[in-house]
Amino acid sequence: MDEQIQAGSRVGMVMATIRQRIAGRSLTPGAKLPSIRSLSGSLKVSASTVVDAYERLVAEGAILSRPGSGFYVASQTAPLSLADIGPKLDRAVDPFWVSRQSLEAQESDLKPGCGWLPPAWLPEDAIRRTLRSLSRADAASLSDYGSPLGLKPLRQLIARRAAERGIEASPDQVMLTESGTQAIDFLCRFLIEPGDTVLVDDPCYFNFHALLRAHRAKVVSVPYTPSGPDIELFAAALTEHRPHLYITNSAIHNPTGAMLSPVTAHRLLKLAEQHGLTIIEDDIFADFELTPAPRLAAFDGLDRVIHIGSFSKTLSAAARCGFIAARPEWIEGLIDLKIATSFGGARLNAELVLSVLSDGSYRKHAEGLRSRLAKAMFEVTARLKPLGIRPWLEPQAGMFLWCHLPDGLDAAAVARAALAQNVVLAPGNAFSLSQSATGFMRFNVSQTLDNRVFDVLRDALKQASTTRPATP
Amino acid sequence: MDEQIQAGSRVGMVMATIRQRIAGRSLTPGAKLPSIRSLSGSLKVSASTVVDAYERLVAEGAILSRPGSGFYVASQTAPLSLADIGPKLDRAVDPFWVSRQSLEAQESDLKPGCGWLPPAWLPEDAIRRTLRSLSRADAASLSDYGSPLGLKPLRQLIARRAAERGIEASPDQVMLTESGTQAIDFLCRFLIEPGDTVLVDDPCYFNFHALLRAHRAKVVSVPYTPSGPDIELFAAALTEHRPHLYITNSAIHNPTGAMLSPVTAHRLLKLAEQHGLTIIEDDIFADFELTPAPRLAAFDGLDRVIHIGSFSKTLSAAARCGFIAARPEWIEGLIDLKIATSFGGARLNAELVLSVLSDGSYRKHAEGLRSRLAKAMFEVTARLKPLGIRPWLEPQAGMFLWCHLPDGLDAAAVARAALAQNVVLAPGNAFSLSQSATGFMRFNVSQTLDNRVFDVLRDALKQASTTRPATP
């Protein structure tokens, strides 16, 4: 059953349809839902699919069943209400909450919960220079499809940058993608089957949950420590659940900002070898590092570890471009998959990224970012302290601060209160498969410097403390 | 079993691995393949997966089994050899052949088989102007993620353009994608389950086969006539196979250039309603039309028909941007799927497309393209005639000419001979699920104006006529 609850399934489609009608107020609280027969007719699905969807919506509390009478919209369901985040990871909407609130936010909203830098922190001048020089590029670069692997000079540059971090990859082992997320999506399509078990960190980047659900994977999580996954529990999970794949960030872990230690990396790879585990190492935060952390891909030599990255965090998120570096014999199959599902790559984005990365100013820009983030990390930590918000650890680098809220407050309640004042926060359980992060909140320090954030936080904490306390 | 043969499966991965080693000559003809045990160890898959993969490779003729001795590389397997195209649609490589040869071709190669216009035919000046004006855009447009639905002014413009073709869609029913191919991929993920049956035209765009295989769909095809699918056989297929989805191009059909007639469109929609069939209408060639053809999406009002398009064919394939227009209650679920699998959209490509489409020059450009294509269609038809190559029909518009070869020659043999002289052709069976197009070839008239194409064709036809004739 569980595999059906994902974007691709018809049950999911029926649920999305009903949720949308509720969100769009074409079905108001208390309203009666369409009959099984009429909805199965209008959506062209079987009656049992509608029954299944209605039952799940009842289980979620989105609708009510009145035996003998039918199904009715529950009274307190607001569109994308945070009340639905938290314990219910069987809800398609939950892992999307932070991303949707952040991506759909207005210019004027504040987004301490989002996962990217303010535009003013990115290399605006280099991008403008690049667009001007691209306006003089040859016609093919402006209008032809990219090659299946993608722009060769950019793949060569990516290979050189990987080598600087000890990851040996030839340019022909590198395939460009539209984004880091698409890179992981391709690899899941290539490596796992519906029902396969995939291991993630707890907490981990919430979109891993969303993506793995779209692949109908069974997801198992292992607690993350300041030096990597809890290696004893990791070993136990391998034995108990026999996962096919593990997805992680080693360098600057999202959301905790932790760094994998060499000893944990070594043990982890030994375990992976014993159990035939393949690992996707998502390295999109690499350019934020002050001192290079150990990389699984470096220790492993791209044997069972796949290295992926993108430029959305340090260069531009408007020109999406990511990559996969993997064992050569997998690239051929990945190319076919890329052609089948997206045909040629976005050549112009690749040209833009190549040109900005090659621009002498990029390394200076990255250095500037690192010190600017370090300053913001220090300032935000200091300003959160009086509110009783304490970091779980002091990250060595990056934009994320993973924090305890005071007095076991429920982060979802705090985020709900802040959202009412147009401040998007990232409540802990959005990152936690085990839902054990009720009292945690992720802050993006680059988006947490505005005084209004702290005023709104203060109010939101007050409000939340008056609501029911979270289970400890 | 059949559903396993696709890019996502581990069997497919093992097959790709072996094919790659053969292509890369690390396994030479006659060489012994790794033992089941050693390969299952090194690739971390079960022995039965390797056995399954080896059996399929034997079935393809790529390797041989010597009972009691093991598996060996067959003698005449060349990398991506056209000898393997044609009857064997259970080969992952076949539906990819034309796309890979075209996308991987050198600048100097000629590509009458490819599916796009030469760069010089695209609005180069408008793109250059746009890049210069984008270099002065606000910082957010240059470096922020796009919103989940995508750039609103572009969605409004797409809605207006659709309305001109009688397709009523509000901008909020339009979701931007990275490409037309990705639009179909999202819809397949959203609407079908592995094992579901999908209906396509015979012949149809070869990448539909590749994409549907990646989704593990069972594919059924219906012969295409000059006025649309054969409606009697279409009805029979609905009754016999109960497909969930039908994917087609109504306006300028790929590869035939045929146009759907109003009467066929009406009958088709009535049948679709009776059988609860959902239809994806791929409308990427719309701007090539001289007189608007009937659209299923227009007749149906985006009820069971989904309208998709892109700008890769008439604006630029380097700045990928496509879209989906569908019933409002589906968009919500599609947004979640887009975020899970690619997060924010490529905002810069959307800004570029919007700006070029809004540039006064675009309509002139499109008009110019249409007359230039009409001239090329006339010239190429005339120059193919002396070679005994006759169009199946005279297309009203577009770039494609679907042709009979003389004397039942085998198009694969002709394409193989031409490829040896660096001319990429598109043999008929790459488009045909039933493999009934052995004697057909698709020509892209915009890429068939070079004298060398005709010289190479003449030789290739001669060579092919000396090889074994195709089965009639």
Side-chain angles (χ1 to χ4, degrees), chain B residues 379-389 401 403 443 454 457:
Chain B
E379 178 184 338
V380 169
T381 306
R383 294 182 67 179
L384 288 172
K385 197 172 175 203
L387 301 176
I389 301 176
L401 205 50
C403 296
F443 291 93
F454 298 91
L457 258 177

Side-chain angles (χ1 to χ4, degrees), chain B residues 393-422:
Chain B
L393 64 66
E394 278 181 27
Q396 292 174 37
M399 67 175 101
F400 296 131
L401 205 50
W402 181 243
C403 296
H404 299 277
L405 296 185
D407 334 314
L409 282 184
D410 179 352
V414 175
R416 192 189 304 121
L419 186 62
Q421 298 185 59
N422 304 312

Side-chain angles (χ1 to χ4, degrees), chain A residues 42-127:
Chain A
S42 63
L43 296 185
K44 294 131 211 143
V45 296
S46 69
S48 64
T49 301
V50 176
V51 171
D52 196 355
Y54 277 14
E55 279 167 358
R56 292 178 195 286
L57 289 165
V58 168
E60 290 173 5
I63 66 173
L64 311 165
S65 165
R66 301 218 185 108
S69 161
F71 294 86
Y72 295 80
V73 180
S75 36
Q76 340 81 319
T77 48
L80 296 174
S81 161
L82 251 181
D84 305 321
I85 210 168
K88 304 200 209 63
L89 258 183
D90 63 341
R91 277 218 47 181
V93 71
D94 294 6
F96 296 101
W97 192 85
V98 177
S99 31
R100 290 200 63 161
Q101 293 300 338
S102 308
L103 290 169
E104 290 168 351
Q106 302 300 313
E107 290 277 327
S108 61
D109 298 348
L110 297 172
K111 307 191 290 291
C114 84
W116 55 90
L117 300 176
W121 291 47
L122 294 172
E124 193 178 322
D125 296 342
I127 295 169

Side-chain angles (χ1 to χ4, degrees), chain A residues 230-255:
Chain A
D230 179 311
I231 205 69
E232 305 310 323
L233 295 173
F234 192 89
L238 291 184
T239 311
E240 185 184 347
H241 302 288
R242 311 218 146 284
H244 294 82
L245 190 62
Y246 170 51
I247 307 182
T248 189
N249 332 94
S250 314
I252 301 176
H253 180 257
N254 182 2

Side-chain angles (χ1 to χ4, degrees), chain A residues 140-189:
Chain A
S141 304
L142 299 177
S143 43
D144 231 343
Y145 286 98
S147 69
L149 270 181
L151 195 64
K152 187 160 191 176
L154 179 55
R155 291 186 289 108
Q156 290 166 327
L157 193 149
I158 288 167
R160 282 199 303 277
R161 287 162 49 93
E164 291 170 9
R165 302 185 172 99
I167 300 164
E168 297 298 336
S170 87
D172 293 343
Q173 279 175 270
V174 176
M175 183 180 88
L176 300 188
T177 63
E178 309 291 10
S179 65
T181 307
Q182 194 195 44
I184 303 175
D185 185 47
F186 279 152
L187 289 164
C188 287
R189 289 180 123 172

Side-chain angles (χ1 to χ4, degrees), chain B residues 126-315:
Chain B
I127 294 169
R128 297 185 189 282
R129 265 198 304 280
T130 296
L131 286 166
R132 284 195 297 273
S133 61
L134 275 180
S135 75
R136 297 182 298 272
D138 61 294
S141 304
L142 298 178
S143 43
D144 231 343
Y145 286 98
S147 69
L149 270 180
L151 195 65
K152 186 161 190 175
L154 180 55
R155 290 185 289 111
Q156 289 166 326
L157 194 149
I158 288 167
R160 283 199 302 278
R161 287 162 49 92
E164 291 170 9
R165 301 184 173 102
I167 301 165
E168 296 298 336
S170 88
D172 293 343
Q173 277 176 270
V174 177
M175 183 180 89
L176 300 187
T177 64
E178 309 290 9
S179 65
T181 305
Q182 194 195 45
I184 303 176
D185 186 47
F186 279 153
L187 290 164
C188 287
R189 288 179 123 172
F190 188 62
L191 295 169
I192 65 171
E193 310 256 0
D196 282 355
T197 300
V198 177
L199 207 60
V200 298
D201 302 316
D202 201 331
C204 74
Y205 175 39
F206 46 76
N207 208 49
F208 290 167
H209 297 142
L211 180 63
L212 289 169
R213 177 165 303 154
H215 286 279
R216 311 156 173 240
K218 297 205 191 76
V219 184
V220 172
S221 69
V222 169
Y224 210 74
T225 79
S227 60
D230 180 309
I231 205 71
E232 304 310 322
L233 295 174
F234 192 89
L238 292 184
T239 313
E240 186 184 347
H241 301 288
R242 310 217 145 288
H244 295 81
L245 190 63
Y246 170 49
I247 307 181
T248 189
N249 329 96
S250 314
I252 300 175
H253 180 258
N254 182 3
T256 64
M259 291 263 189
L260 185 68
S261 73
V263 56
T264 307
H266 178 63
R267 287 192 192 154
L268 199 156
L269 283 173
K270 270 195 341 205
L271 287 167
E273 196 165 340
Q274 286 164 29
H275 292 79
L277 181 72
T278 304
I279 300 172
I280 298 174
E281 188 168 50
D282 177 356
D283 208 0
I284 59 171
F285 301 111
D287 282 0
F288 290 134
E289 276 185 304
L290 294 169
T291 54
R295 294 292 197 287
L296 294 170
F299 287 11
D300 169 71
L302 292 183
D303 172 17
R304 66 183 62 253
V305 178
I306 300 156
H307 171 65
I308 77 119
S310 96
F311 307 94
S312 304
K313 302 303 180 185
T314 48
L315 196 157

Side-chain angles (χ1 to χ4, degrees), chain B residues 55 191 244 371 376 413 436:
Chain B
E55 278 167 357
L191 295 169
H244 295 81
S371 51
S436 55

Side-chain angles (χ1 to χ4, degrees), chain A residues 33-44 50 54:
Chain A
L33 269 71
S35 72
I36 306 292
R37 179 182 292 123
S38 70
L39 194 65
S40 71
S42 63
L43 296 185
K44 294 131 211 143
V50 176
Y54 277 14

